[in-house]
Amino acid sequence: MKLSKKNLDQRLNHVYDAIIVGGGAGGLSAAIYLQRYRLSCLVIEKGRGRSFWMQDVTNYLGFSPHTSGRDLLQKGQDHVLSLEGDFLRGYVEDVQDEGETFAVKVKVGKEDSSYPVFRTKYLIAASGIIDNLPKLDNMQNVYDYAGYNLHVCMICDGYEMRDKKCGLFVASEGAINTAFVLNWFTPYITVFTQGLFSVGEEMRQKLQEYGFPLVETPIQRFLGHDHEMTGVELTDGSTVDLETGLVSMGSHYHNEYLQAIDLNWKGGNLVTDSMCRTSHPRIFALGDLKEGINQVSIAVADGTLAATAIWREIRRAAPPRRWEEHLATQEAVL
Amino acid sequence: MKLSKKNLDQRLNHVYDAIIVGGGAGGLSAAIYLQRYRLSCLVIEKGRGRSFWMQDVTNYLGFSPHTSGRDLLQKGQDHVLSLEGDFLRGYVEDVQDEGETFAVKVKVGKEDSSYPVFRTKYLIAASGIIDNLPKLDNMQNVYDYAGYNLHVCMICDGYEMRDKKCGLFVASEGAINTAFVLNWFTPYITVFTQGLFSVGEEMRQKLQEYGFPLVETPIQRFLGHDHEMTGVELTDGSTVDLETGLVSMGSHYHNEYLQAIDLNWKGGNLVTDSMCRTSHPRIFALGDLKEGINQVSIAVADGTLAATAIWREIRRAAPPRRWEEHLATQEAVL
């Protein structure tokens, strides 16, 4: 059921089989499988993750290419609730390993917050990433285009950028190398650094060899209308025409709640085995939070794997279920 | 485009980046990604694979639980065609490794067949499995219920069988062990061997301990109406009431076309690396054909992985794309 401040006390004495931090594609897939494995789970979703922003999920089998991430998530949430899974809007602040269980502390409500602690046998970390976007005075101007024709993922949307005049927005010299992959899709690339760092001579030369202009003047604002970005205006008043853009400014992970637990990380990613199990036997990690390709399809499969591994363990430890009435009949006959 | 006998000669001189054997969930996902990576691919689908039979895809994120496998596949096929991927209804008879390319021989049309040979750089084996079903004189009687409440996959449909009177249909003693997993979902299990093999004393005792009746008399027919199986009639005229059933009689793989190629197998499954690459560097395997869990979500992710690995290789070997006009302008300025 949908939990909120009003009814969450009903679950404070319950020990879940799994608590899933993050209600994105991976977390919801895990919850669907867990509930169908007859296990009990709670999905805790802070809102506004990466897939929430996607206007078009363009490469997930079975969806028309104009389905939004928001629609996908809503369908998954409804599915989980229809299977009697629990869903809570809240922010996971801390997880403590208590041995047999984890204590999961959640902040619920932005104002007048309550801080319930839920208990679970297994923890699934599916809290994903948040893409760094260009920082402008008026962030609404960025949000107007991000997820529309200002993209954050080349694998997802390289195709949408094909042979278009594309701005590549970066925050480090290393990220400029994205241009030399992006050119598979389009050679009409202009690199914007916003003057956030200095570009070395070698990189300048390489860009010149490829014919990719380098713009170091900060951006004043994105130009466009109806969520279609058509260029940028720089702080010196000049403008650059564009047809699309790719933001490659890194991302940050929502993983602070795992700080108290000793886990094997590789950068911001959790290292997992083939069933998405981390170095802690009762913690799994899915999707963008773990190593690998950041794609909806991968996260959904990760949810399948983690849920199946958890089910196997719980099932094997459970007492066998016999057909009692039939046993009674057998005995009566004997 | 959709290929048929009439237009396939248009592609006989083309070298595809990838030919995908099998238009199930994995193959279609691969094709969507490949086309979006600006690569050219052909999906060859023989028809009537496992997912085609599923009446309800119940655990794939974003789908309402009453979407049929057929609907999922049709949506995927439309998606591939909209991305200008090629799709052919046909049966892959043989694959020959020619070094740089593979020659893929296809039988098109059941009558008056033609046998075109297509060429491709990479091969994706996504031809899946076909479940063995009970063999009755009137197979239509089996097809009337298979995929409805006569299931073939416990992970997919264990939930649908929960606490129901369930027939478990097996063809070997080993498969009887399925009962001791299935009892997680329901303890009301009757095992049907159809007299296909003899059951050892130890297994008989175990079944008795669990209260699971063992029926060795062959089945005459399934009883029921409107695709809802309600029991079986045995050849001795007696009947057994059931509410659902699980067929666990093994499956066979459509993999004969790979016979001429030396590959690493584990039973009927191809061994692959984390990107679904087989022991042959230009052959990938997806979904049920490779090791792992047979689930739509896994196959879809496999398609993502294989397509991405192929794209990376082709892209890295390709000449760099420069912004030629801009280079010309630069030179003019100098």
Side-chain angles (χ1 to χ4, degrees):
Chain A
M1 71 178 173
K2 211 157 184 166
L3 297 186
S4 67
K5 271 188 211 174
K6 286 176 190 161
N7 62 357
L8 55 77
D9 55 310
Q10 290 182 42
R11 293 295 195 262
L12 296 183
N13 293 320
H14 179 70
V15 177
Y16 286 100
D17 290 309
I19 285 182
I20 301 161
V21 185
L28 291 171
S29 175
I32 290 166
Y33 270 88
L34 287 165
Q35 290 297 131
R36 289 183 61 86
Y37 285 138
R38 306 190 82 184
L39 300 173
S40 83
C41 75
L42 164 64
V43 178
I44 305 172
E45 163 63 13
K46 66 168 185 7
R48 306 173 82 80
R50 193 184 212 193
S51 45
F52 178 82
W53 289 98
M54 293 186 301
Q55 295 308 315
D56 293 304
V57 178
T58 44
N59 45 22
Y60 182 60
L61 180 74
F63 263 54
S64 83
H66 299 293
T67 310
S68 69
R70 208 175 292 207
D71 187 31
L72 179 69
L73 300 182
Q74 189 59 54
K75 285 204 169 109
Q77 196 177 313
D78 293 345
H79 197 163
V80 171
L81 291 169
S82 77
L83 294 164
E84 295 174 36
D86 284 350
F87 192 95
L88 173 67
R89 198 63 184 261
Y91 187 87
V92 174
E93 293 213 323
D94 181 58
V95 173
Q96 294 292 332
D97 187 354
E98 303 177 317
E100 295 284 297
T101 56
F102 295 103
V104 179
K105 188 182 165 196
V106 187
K107 177 181 175 177
V108 181
K110 281 202 171 174
E111 291 169 18
D112 225 357
S113 310
S114 52
Y115 294 87
V117 175
F118 298 95
R119 283 189 163 72
T120 181
K121 295 176 196 162
Y122 290 85
L123 186 79
I124 297 181
S127 42
I129 60 171
I130 297 162
D131 298 291
N132 298 334
L133 297 173
K135 279 192 185 124
L136 303 186
D137 289 341
N138 174 13
M139 282 308 290
Q140 190 51 50
N141 173 249
V142 182
Y143 301 143
D144 278 349
Y145 305 109
Y148 293 87
N149 69 334
L150 181 58
H151 302 286
V152 294
C153 170
M154 198 199 310
I155 288 185
C156 307
D157 295 309
Y159 181 79
E160 308 300 330
M161 300 186 259
R162 64 194 187 282
D163 294 330
K164 286 189 177 160
K165 286 185 82 167
C166 181
L168 175 64
F169 304 91
V170 296
S172 69
E173 181 163 319
I176 297 180
N177 287 307
T178 306
F180 311 114
V181 180
L182 179 59
N183 66 339
W184 172 265
F185 296 102
T186 177
Y188 313 121
I189 299 169
T190 303
V191 176
F192 295 85
T193 69
Q194 296 195 79
L196 292 172
F197 58 96
S198 62
V199 180
E201 201 44 50
E202 204 176 327
M203 183 60 87
R204 284 178 191 279
Q205 272 181 14
K206 191 168 179 188
L207 287 170
Q208 219 161 26
E209 277 165 33
Y210 276 78
F212 300 160
L214 175 66
V215 177
E216 298 181 85
T217 311
I219 294 166
Q220 182 63 43
R221 63 188 181 105
F222 287 97
L223 304 170
H225 48 80
D226 295 337
H227 302 297
E228 193 185 330
M229 190 265 293
T230 57
V232 292
E233 183 185 314
L234 304 177
T235 52
D236 64 9
S238 66
T239 61
V240 180
D241 289 345
L242 298 171
E243 294 167 297
T244 187
L246 178 67
V247 178
S248 185
M249 301 179 69
S251 45
H252 50 278
Y253 297 85
H254 171 39
N255 58 18
E256 303 81 4
Y257 60 94
L258 293 169
Q259 274 171 355
I261 297 166
D262 185 35
L263 290 166
N264 191 3
W265 296 86
K266 195 165 175 180
N269 293 117
L270 279 161
V271 178
T272 59
D273 70 9
S274 64
M275 294 302 277
C276 296
R277 196 190 300 256
T278 69
S279 55
H280 188 301
R282 289 181 295 113
I283 301 182
F284 291 75
L286 314 181
D288 299 356
L289 200 60
K290 70 173 229 307
E291 287 187 281
I293 302 173
N294 295 352
Q295 288 288 288
V296 166
S297 59
I298 303 291
V300 170
D302 287 350
T304 301
L305 295 170
T308 303
I310 291 170
W311 171 57
R312 283 179 179 162
E313 247 169 43
I314 291 180
R315 173 171 58 74
R316 284 170 188 163
R321 291 179 78 200
R322 298 184 168 87
W323 190 344
E324 301 295 346
E325 299 120 72
H326 192 255
L327 278 172
T329 320
Q330 281 182 336
E331 276 164 31
V333 172
L334 301 172
Chain B
M1 70 178 175
K2 211 158 184 167
L3 297 187
S4 67
K5 271 189 211 173
K6 286 176 191 162
N7 62 357
L8 55 77
D9 54 311
Q10 290 182 42
R11 293 294 195 264
L12 295 182
N13 293 319
H14 179 68
V15 177
Y16 285 101
D17 291 309
I19 285 182
I20 302 161
V21 185
L28 292 170
S29 175
I32 291 166
Y33 271 87
L34 287 165
Q35 290 296 131
R36 290 182 61 85
Y37 284 137
R38 306 190 82 183
L39 300 173
S40 83
C41 74
L42 164 64
V43 178
I44 305 172
E45 163 62 13
K46 68 168 182 7
R48 306 172 83 81
R50 193 185 211 193
S51 45
F52 177 83
W53 289 98
M54 295 187 300
Q55 295 308 315
D56 293 305
V57 178
T58 44
N59 44 24
Y60 182 60
L61 180 74
F63 264 55
S64 84
H66 299 294
T67 310
S68 68
R70 209 175 290 207
D71 187 32
L72 180 69
L73 299 182
Q74 188 59 53
K75 285 204 167 107
Q77 195 178 313
D78 293 346
H79 197 163
V80 171
L81 290 170
S82 77
L83 293 163
E84 296 175 34
D86 285 349
F87 191 95
L88 172 67
R89 197 63 184 262
Y91 188 87
V92 174
E93 294 213 323
D94 180 59
V95 174
Q96 294 293 332
D97 187 354
E98 303 177 317
E100 295 284 297
T101 56
F102 295 103
V104 179
K105 186 182 165 196
V106 188
K107 177 181 176 177
V108 181
K110 281 202 172 174
E111 291 168 21
D112 223 358
S113 311
S114 52
Y115 293 87
V117 175
F118 298 96
R119 283 191 163 70
T120 181
K121 294 177 197 161
Y122 290 85
L123 185 80
I124 298 181
S127 41
I129 59 172
I130 297 161
D131 297 292
N132 298 334
L133 296 173
K135 279 191 187 127
L136 304 187
D137 288 341
N138 174 13
M139 282 308 290
Q140 190 52 49
N141 173 251
V142 182
Y143 300 144
D144 278 349
Y145 305 109
Y148 292 86
N149 70 334
L150 180 59
H151 302 287
V152 293
C153 170
M154 199 198 311
I155 288 185
C156 308
D157 295 309
Y159 181 78
E160 308 300 330
M161 300 186 259
R162 65 193 187 282
D163 294 331
K164 286 189 177 159
K165 285 185 83 167
C166 182
L168 175 65
F169 303 91
V170 297
S172 69
E173 180 162 322
I176 297 180
N177 287 305
T178 307
F180 312 114
V181 180
L182 180 59
N183 66 339
W184 173 264
F185 295 103
T186 178
Y188 312 122
I189 299 168
T190 302
V191 176
F192 294 85
T193 69
Q194 298 194 80
L196 292 172
F197 58 96
S198 61
V199 181
E201 200 44 49
E202 206 176 326
M203 182 60 86
R204 284 178 191 278
Q205 273 181 16
K206 192 168 178 188
L207 286 171
Q208 218 160 27
E209 277 164 33
Y210 277 77
F212 300 161
L214 175 66
V215 177
E216 298 180 84
T217 312
I219 294 166
Q220 181 64 43
R221 63 188 181 106
F222 287 97
L223 303 171
H225 48 79
D226 295 337
H227 301 299
E228 194 185 331
M229 189 265 294
T230 57
V232 291
E233 183 186 313
L234 304 176
T235 50
D236 64 9
S238 66
T239 61
V240 180
D241 288 344
L242 298 171
E243 293 167 298
T244 187
L246 178 66
V247 177
S248 186
M249 301 179 68
S251 43
H252 50 277
Y253 297 84
H254 171 40
N255 58 17
E256 302 81 4
Y257 60 94
L258 293 168
Q259 274 171 355
I261 297 167
D262 184 35
L263 291 166
N264 191 2
W265 296 87
K266 195 166 174 180
N269 293 117
L270 279 161
V271 178
T272 58
D273 69 10
S274 64
M275 296 302 277
C276 297
R277 195 190 301 258
T278 68
S279 54
H280 187 301
R282 291 182 293 114
I283 300 182
F284 291 74
L286 312 182
D288 300 355
L289 200 61
K290 70 173 229 307
E291 286 188 283
I293 303 174
N294 294 353
Q295 288 287 288
V296 166
S297 59
I298 303 292
V300 170
D302 287 349
T304 301
L305 294 169
T308 303
I310 291 170
W311 171 56
R312 283 178 179 161
E313 251 171 38
I314 291 180
R315 172 171 58 75
R316 283 170 189 162
R321 291 180 77 201
R322 298 184 167 88
W323 190 345
E324 301 294 347
E325 300 120 71
H326 192 255
L327 278 172
T329 320
Q330 280 182 336
E331 276 165 31
V333 171
L334 300 172

